[in-house]
Amino acid sequence: MQTQDRLEVNQLAQAIAASQKYLLSLQNPAGYWWAELESNVTITAEVVLLHKIWGTDTTRPLHKAATYLRSQQRQHGGWELFYDDGGELSTSVEAYMALRLLGVPATDPDMIRARYFIIQRGGISKTRIFTKFHLALVGCYDWRGLPSLPAWVMLLPKEFPVNIYEMSSWARSSTVPLLIVFDRKPVFSTNPSINLDELYAEGVENVRWELPRSGDWTDLFLTLDTGFKFAESLNFIPFREEGIKAAEQWILERQEATGDWGGIIPAMLNSMLALRCLDYDPSDPIVERGLQAIDNFAIETEHSYCVQPCVSPVWDTAWVMRAFVDSGIAPDHPAIVKAGEWLLQKQILDYGDWIVKNPQGKPGAWAFEFDNRFYPDVDDTAVVVMALYRAQLPNEQLKHRACDRALKWVESMQCKPGGWAAFDIDNDQDWLNAVPYGDLKAMIDPNTADVTARVLEMLGVCNLSITPHNLERAFSYLLNEQEPEGCWFGRWGVNYIYGTSGVLSALAAIAPQRYQRQIAQGAAWLVSCQNPDGGWGETCRSYNDPSLKGKGRSTPSQTAWAIIGLIAAGEATGKFACEAMEKGISYLVSTQKSDGSWFEADFTGTGFPGHFYLKYHFYQQYFPLIALGRYQVIGDKV
């Protein structure tokens, strides 16, 4: 047994060393880490559409986008929302549209397969609002079938129950420019010009250009929409031009010097569409910067061209730093020092949109991306503080002052129910998800268990404190969010494995004795959903079907989350789930590639639950390293 144990210890050490070496080799000379953030093909399809509308398509390698789109088509003919989901209608329609815009004829065998897939699922008439919107821009759908967005919404004061700051940051930054686009209702000419009549299952001559009814109270919004459309037909729209002017000013004020808007492609594309509707010249510096910012999100290879929905250097860098220290690399290692100093430079010391609902707060947070000064977030800020806390930097005084400023900002962002949201405070008017325009159900940013857990973990790990009353409110919120099975929902990662791991890490770090029962329940749930191969996995479908909580094929990232949660629970209760953890560690060691990396095909990140998912290409690297490193530390206890 001693020989076997020594062999296992050696294998663990070798796996850790290989992972560290792999990640060290990927550090950018500037100090950060940054890997691809993958989503479905709609982002690339919409970028193709944008360049066709602006006439800038010939200055980009969009022929490679056609290769990329074809490579993502599945055998059934459609395109996926997330890996191996069987295909999704709206995603497939947008991919088809982009290929047609890129000159692929409807008679192409791939297009014939795609058309069959789309028609079998109801065709264009059954797609989401945003798919229909993009089709309407090039005359492939009628604007009559889209909701009205009156521009005077821009003029509603922040004290009014309905205003743009009651929308989530991502919805706000994407919607304000659309107030201009939906007012103008443009139909742009493209080369080649296309129609997609073949994608209407009922025949284009039979389409009813109207919003679908739900048969409940939400149909009230359809009545209001009819009123808005009637006013538009009479050209009786109060404060129309004032609203357009306010929206234009808002857009220009929020463009980064790098050209970005909101750090996300939807906001960037919609802002560019708004400028096109306002007849900005393609050579205008604002337009040039905007197009360059979109180019910066692209990934081009010899044969392929695709666009990421966002970029994650701050997030990736902070997690790699944590993984290194957790796995035994010295906190003053040159790679950690360089990364820490880069993060300090990225602290946002400007006021952003958050100040509208949080006037008492002072800046000091971090955002997800390279540049996004208007929209820092609580989750990134907490992770960065934890990464910096463990690092040993040349200017420790600056580090501590930066973390102190971040802590005060985070505390000021606590929501009324006691938890924390991602970008805003008390952004929780759920009725907004019922408006026809909001069919992605992502119009708000309420507090969530996973972000709240991150804040509490930060307090515990870094020995920081907030007002006792606010701390108690946070505990109460988090405990009320525990599911009957013992798990917690994961808003920003898939799904209950992610949420449960985060909460266990938090409670174990800040109140291990007080919440042993809840911690034990969470750990027991994790053990109960371990797969026979020793790993853990959870399908994105668990957002739509609660019976799938914790169920899915094993992945390195989700296995790591489960192990991290179990280790935290064991430290808190003194009772380690030894067999489950050992099997999980064996899974990670056995699935590690020869270069020290891991691979997973599945999407384990979440954009909008049920509607938009992400694959962080570094999740499969740094979370396993954290799990292995923490397991090595507790080796004598297990």
Side-chain angles (χ1 to χ4, degrees):
M1 283 296 293
Q2 289 182 346
T3 302
Q4 182 180 351
D5 290 343
R6 192 158 50 247
L7 177 63
E8 291 173 353
V9 169
N10 289 339
Q11 286 178 325
L12 179 61
Q14 290 168 5
I16 290 172
S19 175
Q20 292 171 340
K21 181 180 179 181
Y22 177 78
L23 285 169
L24 282 169
S25 73
L26 296 176
Q27 186 175 26
N28 186 279
Y32 60 82
W33 281 270
W34 169 36
E36 180 181 351
L37 184 59
E38 182 181 349
S39 68
N40 64 71
V41 298
T42 58
I43 298 297
T44 300
E46 290 162 16
V47 169
V48 168
L49 173 66
L50 182 83
H51 283 303
K52 287 289 183 178
I53 287 171
W54 272 99
T56 52
D57 52 303
T58 58
T59 60
R60 270 78 182 173
L62 295 189
H63 63 285
K64 295 182 181 181
T67 304
Y68 162 74
L69 291 169
R70 285 183 186 269
S71 74
Q72 296 300 305
Q73 187 179 22
R74 299 302 178 231
Q75 192 62 39
H76 48 61
W79 284 262
E80 298 171 335
L81 190 62
F82 56 88
Y83 177 73
D84 201 27
D85 72 351
E88 198 270 335
L89 174 62
S90 294
T91 305
S92 300
V93 168
E94 293 196 34
Y96 186 101
M97 170 199 70
L99 285 170
R100 290 293 310 279
L101 286 169
L102 290 170
V104 180
T107 54
D108 184 279
D110 288 341
M111 304 299 274
I112 292 172
R113 290 192 298 119
R115 182 165 70 248
Y116 178 79
F117 176 91
I118 289 166
I119 293 297
Q120 288 297 109
R121 284 155 182 77
I124 287 174
S125 295
K126 296 296 183 181
T127 60
R128 61 178 184 164
I129 288 295
F130 279 97
T131 296
K132 292 172 179 173
F133 157 67
H134 287 104
L135 298 178
L137 291 171
V138 288
C140 294
Y141 191 78
D142 196 298
W143 280 97
R144 288 177 294 166
L146 292 168
S148 293
L149 291 179
W152 49 256
V153 168
M154 278 301 299
L155 306 177
L156 297 175
K158 61 185 179 182
E159 296 79 14
F160 201 72
V162 183
N163 65 80
I164 62 170
Y165 295 100
E166 294 300 334
M167 290 187 282
S168 62
S169 62
W170 57 86
R172 184 187 322 132
S173 60
S174 299
T175 299
V176 169
L178 288 186
L179 295 175
I180 297 171
V181 182
F182 274 66
D183 177 85
R184 296 292 193 261
K185 297 178 174 54
V187 177
F188 296 106
S189 298
T190 62
N191 183 21
S193 61
I194 64 170
N195 73 66
L196 301 181
D197 292 355
E198 68 271 19
L199 298 188
Y200 286 95
E202 68 273 47
V204 68
E205 67 281 357
N206 298 318
V207 177
R208 301 178 64 179
W209 309 107
E210 60 185 19
L211 298 170
R213 292 189 170 271
S214 302
D216 55 28
W217 70 271
T218 62
D219 286 344
L220 171 64
F221 293 116
L222 302 186
T223 302
L224 292 173
D225 188 75
T226 300
F228 292 148
K229 284 184 168 64
F230 181 68
E232 288 175 351
S233 70
L234 299 178
N235 198 27
F236 182 69
I237 307 174
F239 305 107
R240 178 180 187 176
E241 290 308 315
E242 293 88 341
I244 294 293
K245 192 68 178 176
E248 180 184 9
Q249 180 178 336
W250 194 94
I251 293 167
L252 298 184
E253 288 174 347
R254 280 160 181 75
Q255 186 180 31
E256 302 285 349
T258 53
D260 302 69
W261 280 279
I264 54 174
I265 281 290
M268 293 156 70
L269 296 183
N270 292 350
S271 295
M272 290 297 296
L273 288 171
L275 298 180
R276 180 73 174 81
C277 289
L278 294 173
D279 295 324
Y280 276 64
D281 190 274
S283 298
D284 189 295
I286 293 171
V287 175
E288 286 278 2
R289 286 182 181 180
L291 291 173
Q292 181 59 54
I294 294 169
D295 290 341
N296 291 342
F297 280 39
I299 297 176
E300 182 182 359
T301 67
E302 183 180 356
H303 301 292
S304 179
Y305 181 91
C306 65
V307 182
Q308 302 168 94
C310 191
V311 293
S312 55
V314 170
W315 184 248
D316 285 340
T317 300
W319 277 112
V320 173
M321 288 175 65
R322 295 191 70 191
F324 280 171
V325 175
D326 281 345
S327 61
I329 290 181
D332 61 350
H333 186 284
I336 292 177
V337 169
K338 198 162 190 177
E341 292 182 326
W342 183 83
L343 285 176
L344 286 176
Q345 294 172 4
K346 286 298 177 181
Q347 188 172 28
I348 298 171
L349 303 177
D350 300 316
Y351 287 94
D353 275 11
W354 53 267
I355 192 65
V356 173
K357 303 195 75 169
N358 177 19
Q360 73 275 16
K362 296 185 183 299
W366 278 267
F368 189 68
E369 307 87 351
F370 286 108
D371 299 284
N372 191 6
R373 60 194 171 96
F374 286 97
Y375 302 106
D377 69 276
V378 173
D379 210 0
D380 273 276
T381 300
V383 174
V384 169
V385 169
M386 286 188 278
L388 291 174
Y389 176 80
R390 298 283 299 280
Q392 188 175 325
L393 305 182
N395 193 339
E396 282 288 292
Q397 186 174 3
L398 173 63
K399 183 187 83 173
H400 289 303
R401 294 290 75 80
C403 291
D404 182 61
R405 180 175 277 274
L407 172 65
K408 291 176 180 176
W409 181 80
V410 168
E411 183 171 12
S412 76
M413 292 292 288
Q414 189 173 21
C415 299
K416 289 177 182 176
W420 278 266
F423 295 90
D424 276 304
I425 181 173
D426 300 326
N427 190 274
D428 54 10
Q429 294 197 37
D430 190 53
W431 65 269
L432 285 169
N433 282 324
V435 301
Y437 168 77
D439 64 350
L440 296 184
K441 308 302 178 187
M443 294 293 288
I444 59 173
D445 180 18
N447 48 196
T448 62
D450 48 342
V451 178
T452 303
R454 198 85 71 200
V455 172
L456 294 181
E457 183 187 8
M458 174 191 71
L459 297 178
V461 166
C462 304
N463 196 27
L464 300 172
S465 61
I466 60 174
T467 306
H469 174 66
N470 290 339
L471 183 61
E472 288 302 313
R473 291 171 56 221
F475 282 140
S476 296
Y477 168 78
L478 207 52
L479 297 184
N480 287 334
E481 290 295 303
Q482 189 171 22
E483 302 281 332
E485 300 93 331
C487 55
W488 280 268
F489 177 80
R491 163 62 181 85
W492 296 99
V494 182
N495 172 354
Y496 292 91
I497 293 176
Y498 181 84
T500 304
S501 176
V503 175
L504 292 179
S505 297
L507 295 180
I510 194 169
Q513 298 301 316
R514 183 176 177 183
Y515 296 112
Q516 286 205 11
R517 180 174 62 85
Q518 291 85 356
I519 291 171
Q521 289 173 338
W525 179 80
L526 284 174
V527 171
S528 74
C529 56
Q530 187 173 25
N531 288 330
D533 63 5
W536 279 264
E538 184 171 355
T539 173
C540 297
R541 292 188 180 89
S542 64
Y543 285 104
N544 305 99
D545 183 355
S547 71
L548 297 175
K549 292 177 182 177
K551 296 180 180 179
R553 62 176 152 255
S554 298
T555 66
S557 61
Q558 291 167 320
T559 298
W561 294 338
I563 294 170
I564 290 167
L566 290 176
I567 290 173
E571 293 274 42
T573 63
K575 300 177 181 178
F576 290 93
C578 300
E579 183 179 355
M581 287 194 298
E582 288 172 1
K583 289 171 62 179
I585 293 295
S586 294
Y587 170 86
L588 290 179
V589 171
S590 66
T591 55
Q592 188 179 32
K593 297 165 65 178
S594 60
D595 64 355
S597 68
W598 285 268
F599 173 77
E600 60 191 23
D602 291 86
F603 286 35
T604 62
T606 309
F608 308 145
H611 298 280
F612 192 77
Y613 298 101
L614 301 163
K615 178 185 173 181
Y616 293 77
H617 282 225
F618 263 167
Y619 272 18
Q620 62 208 22
Q621 312 307 340
Y622 47 64
F623 285 119
L625 180 56
I626 290 173
L628 295 176
R630 293 184 184 180
Y631 182 80
Q632 185 179 53
V633 170
I634 66 159
D636 294 337
K637 302 178 183 179
V638 176

